[in-house]
Amino acid sequence: MAAGILSLLVVLPGHLRAETLPLVTVTKDPGCGCCGGWIDHMRAAGFPVRAVNSDDVYSLKERLGVPLDLASCHTAEVDGYVIEGHVPAGAIRRLLAERPTAIGLAAPGMPVGSPGMDLPGVEPETYEVLLFDASGYKTYSRFHGAEEI
């Protein structure tokens, strides 16, 4: 019986250990309110988040290679990838697990119902999350609100 308890103690910490997710650094305009909603969504999904206010987010987007037609209100960096706009945490987890060759993910515009853009009483839109690199972009996943479809 003592050996069984000892083996349980050896195995248990690995099963209880919290998943370690990389830091998400979000650069946003200080006057933007919906960015805070996206940050809350990311934290609720277990990501540590650091918010940086900037009056010149577009220079960062340009430096990181975000195409102008994919631009949104905030830009995040996580583990070598760029996340543009209201991308759900589930898509980011998948990106980090699969590690495709890309600059990052984008949810162009500000889709209603996406994390941070979820408005009470308003039906969420269906929208695409795009995987992009220097040569263009393609659909990575589709969402209705924060739920992948």
Side-chain angles (χ1 to χ4, degrees), residues 46-77:
F47 285 90
V49 179
R50 181 176 72 119
V52 177
N53 287 322
S54 173
D55 292 326
D56 188 16
V57 179
Y58 283 93
S59 291
L60 174 70
K61 294 174 190 305
E62 186 176 33
R63 183 173 59 77
L64 294 175
V66 176
L68 188 56
D69 59 336
L70 299 186
S72 187
C73 58
H74 60 266
T75 301
E77 297 171 81

Side-chain angles (χ1 to χ4, degrees), residues 1-141:
M1 182 160 160
I5 292 172
L6 182 57
S7 66
L8 178 63
L9 291 174
V10 171
V11 173
L12 196 55
H15 290 293
L16 292 179
R17 186 177 6 171
E19 179 181 15
T20 303
L21 294 169
L23 175 68
V24 177
T25 300
V26 183
T27 303
K28 64 181 196 64
D29 184 283
C32 186
C34 64
C35 300
W38 185 77
I39 289 169
D40 291 344
H41 166 78
M42 293 301 291
R43 286 185 174 141
F47 285 90
V49 179
R50 181 176 72 119
V52 177
N53 287 322
S54 173
D55 292 326
D56 188 16
V57 179
Y58 283 93
S59 291
L60 174 70
K61 294 174 190 305
E62 186 176 33
R63 183 173 59 77
L64 294 175
V66 176
L68 188 56
D69 59 336
L70 299 186
S72 187
C73 58
H74 60 266
T75 301
E77 297 171 81
V78 58
D79 207 22
Y81 288 105
V82 176
I83 308 299
E84 182 64 20
H86 295 266
V87 176
I92 297 168
R93 284 177 180 268
R94 178 178 159 209
L95 176 78
L96 296 173
E98 294 176 353
R99 308 284 316 163
T101 301
I103 293 173
L105 295 177
M110 299 169 74
V112 173
S114 61
M117 291 298 298
D118 38 349
L119 306 170
V122 178
E123 179 65 24
E125 294 177 357
T126 296
Y127 61 97
E128 295 182 341
V129 170
L130 306 173
L131 181 73
F132 68 95
D133 61 20
S135 65
Y137 49 85
K138 64 181 180 180
T139 300
Y140 189 67
S141 52

